[in-house]
Amino acid sequence: MRKVSILGATGSIGQNTIDLISRDPKAYDVVALTGGQNIAQLAKDAIDLNADVAVIADENLLPELRAALGDSSVEAAAGNQAICEAATRPADWVMSAIVGAAGLAPGLKALEQGAVLALANKESLVTAGPLILGTAKAHNARILPVDSEHSAVFQGLAGEDFDTVERIIITASGGAFRDWSLEDMAVATPAQASSHPNWNMGQRITIDSASMFNKALEVIETKEFFGCPHEMIEVLVHPESMVHALVGYNDGALMAHVGPADMRHAIGYALHWPLRRKLPVERLDLAKIGQLHFRDPDLVRYPALRLAHEVMQAGGLSGAVFNAAKERAMDGFIEGRIGFLEMAEVVEEVMARLDRRHINAEMTLDTVSKTDHLARQTADAVMAERH
C-alpha cells in the first residue's frame, strides 16, 4: 500500500484526488487529510478513508472537528503548525492542493521527507521556485505537476531532449468574461466572476481565471518548473478547454495534450506516475466535437499576463510580491472595495512600490514570508488610497 497525504483535501483538487483513491482503497494508506473550514467534509473523508490524522486550518474549529470525528480512530488537530506537522509524517506521495501562499511551508515539509509532491499549489513555484526546487533536489524528492497545463507539458516532453524545444504553449479558457466588453467587466460582480464556463472550481481560482491571473501564475510556474526562458512561453485562449498545452520542437512539430476538462486526468497521471493507468474520465469524440478554436489573448483585457513577464524578468522575490498583491486585491474585489478591473491596477502599483530594494534579498522561507506580508500591507494601502 502506498502511503498518501492530501493537503487541501476539502477543495476541488483534494476532492477529485479522494475520488480516485476511493475507487481503489486497498491500494492506499491515507496518512493525513487537511482542510480549511469545511469540517463536515473533512471528517467524513477522514473516517471513510481511515486517515491517521485530520487537520483543520482554523484553530477555533478544533472542538467541532473532534465532535465530527466522534469515536473514530482519526486523530484531530488544528492550525497552520499542525498542517506542517502533518506534512512531515512519512508518506510516499503528497498532494499539495492548499490554495494560496499558505501551501508553501507544508509543501516544503513534505519535500524534506523525500516524498513525491504532486503540486497543485501553483503559488509555491511562483513565490519561491528556486527554494522549492532546491529543497526537492537536496532531499532526493520528486515534484510532479498537477495543473492541467503543466501536466500536459510534462507529458509532451516525455522521452524528448529539452534542448530541441522551441516553444511551450499553455491554453486558457478565457474564464467567465472572455466575451464581455471592458465596460461590462468593469462593473462585474464577484458572483458573476465566480461562475466558470468549463471547469468546476472554487471561488478564488474561478475569479483568477476570469481575470487571467490564474494563467499569469501558470506562466511563471512554467518558467520555474521547466527552467525555460520566459520568451519561450506563449498563451492561447482556447474556449473549449480540451487542448491543455502544446510543446513546439525545432523541427516544427507541435505535440498537443488533448483531453476532457476534468482535473482527475492530471491528478491521476501524477498519482500513478511513472505508469499510465485507466481513469474514469470522458473519452472525447473529436468527430462529434467538429472544431476547436484558438485566439491570442488581449493584453488590454488581461494585463495580468503582461505583469507575469515583468515578474519573470525581475526574478528574486518579485513572484512573492505579485502573488500576495493579487491575493489581497482579490479580497478587495470580493469584499466590494474595488472593481474587477482594478485588481490588476492594484497589483501593478504594488509591484512598482516594492522595487529591487525589496525583491533582491536571499530567498528563504522567512524572506518569502516577510515579502508576502509587506506586499499585502502595501496592497491594502493602495486600495485604501483609491477609495
Side-chain angles (χ1 to χ4, degrees), residues 31-49:
V31 177
L33 299 180
T34 79
Q37 293 183 318
N38 191 339
I39 290 173
Q41 188 67 59
L42 179 63
K44 178 183 183 303
D45 291 333
I47 293 170
D48 289 348
L49 296 174

Side-chain angles (χ1 to χ4, degrees), residues 145 147-157 244-247 255 257:
D147 270 344
S148 59
E149 296 81 3
H150 302 99
S151 176
V153 174
F154 186 77
Q155 295 179 56
L157 290 169
H244 303 298
L246 306 97
V247 179
M255 299 296 182
H257 180 283

Side-chain angles (χ1 to χ4, degrees), residues 34-356:
T34 79
Q37 293 183 318
N38 191 339
I39 290 173
Q41 188 67 59
L42 179 63
K44 178 183 183 303
D45 291 333
I47 293 170
D48 289 348
L49 296 174
N50 194 30
D52 294 343
V53 62
V55 187
I56 198 77
D58 188 338
E59 294 183 12
N60 296 321
L61 297 178
L62 180 57
E64 294 180 45
L65 176 60
R66 283 177 173 153
L69 290 170
D71 58 359
S72 73
S73 63
V74 181
E75 177 187 346
N80 292 330
Q81 186 172 344
I83 291 176
C84 285
E85 189 280 328
T88 68
R89 298 194 179 202
D92 305 307
W93 187 91
V94 177
M95 168 58 75
S96 174
I98 297 173
V99 175
L104 174 59
L108 286 169
K109 291 295 184 182
L111 289 173
E112 288 171 0
Q113 311 314 307
V116 172
L117 187 70
L119 188 62
N121 173 260
K122 56 178 61 65
E123 291 83 2
S124 293
L125 284 174
V126 170
T127 62
L131 178 61
I132 196 166
L133 293 172
T135 301
K137 183 177 181 180
H139 295 275
N140 198 30
R142 179 86 195 209
I143 302 174
L144 296 175
V146 172
D147 270 344
S148 59
E149 296 81 3
H150 302 99
S151 176
V153 174
F154 186 77
Q155 295 179 56
L157 290 169
E160 300 286 351
D161 181 354
F162 194 83
D163 288 339
T164 66
V165 176
E166 288 186 340
R167 56 207 289 230
I168 293 175
I169 304 169
I170 60 175
T171 61
S173 68
F177 304 145
R178 63 189 175 208
D179 298 316
W180 286 37
S181 68
L182 283 171
E183 291 76 17
D184 288 339
M185 290 171 70
V187 295
T189 67
Q192 290 170 322
S194 301
S195 177
H196 197 282
N198 299 346
W199 298 89
N200 181 20
M201 305 182 292
Q203 181 191 41
R204 297 186 72 87
I205 193 171
T206 304
I207 295 174
D208 270 345
S209 177
S211 65
M212 283 277 203
F213 267 110
N214 187 49
K215 202 57 51 179
L217 294 176
E218 290 173 2
V219 168
I220 299 170
E221 191 180 5
T222 300
K223 174 185 178 293
E224 295 295 338
F225 190 90
F226 298 105
C228 58
H230 73 94
E231 298 92 347
M232 182 186 287
I233 307 166
E234 305 171 25
V235 174
L236 279 178
V237 176
H238 170 48
E240 292 86 1
S241 293
M242 293 181 185
V243 178
H244 303 298
L246 306 97
V247 179
Y249 290 92
N250 60 5
D251 60 356
L254 282 173
M255 299 296 182
H257 180 283
V258 185
D262 189 329
M263 283 306 302
R264 291 177 299 177
H265 198 151
I267 295 167
Y269 186 82
L271 180 62
H272 300 134
W273 182 89
L275 304 176
R276 188 183 291 273
R277 291 183 177 170
K278 188 174 182 178
L279 294 173
V281 300
E282 177 189 1
R283 271 51 175 172
L284 296 181
D285 184 339
L286 295 180
K288 184 177 180 180
I289 293 166
Q291 56 185 327
L292 300 172
H293 301 86
F294 303 91
R295 64 175 183 257
D296 289 326
D298 181 352
L299 297 186
V300 175
R301 293 169 61 86
Y302 303 119
L305 296 176
R306 170 178 55 82
L307 296 176
H309 282 273
E310 293 181 12
V311 168
M312 292 186 289
Q313 288 176 292
L317 295 168
S318 58
V321 172
F322 178 77
N323 180 71
K326 185 273 297 182
E327 290 189 12
R328 286 303 292 148
M330 186 190 296
D331 290 339
F333 170 61
I334 292 172
E335 295 162 5
R337 296 163 58 195
I338 61 173
F340 179 79
L341 295 179
E342 289 184 277
M343 288 191 290
E345 296 172 5
V346 169
V347 173
E348 186 163 19
E349 179 61 25
V350 173
M351 290 172 61
R353 293 189 187 187
L354 302 187
D355 57 18
R356 290 198 171 276

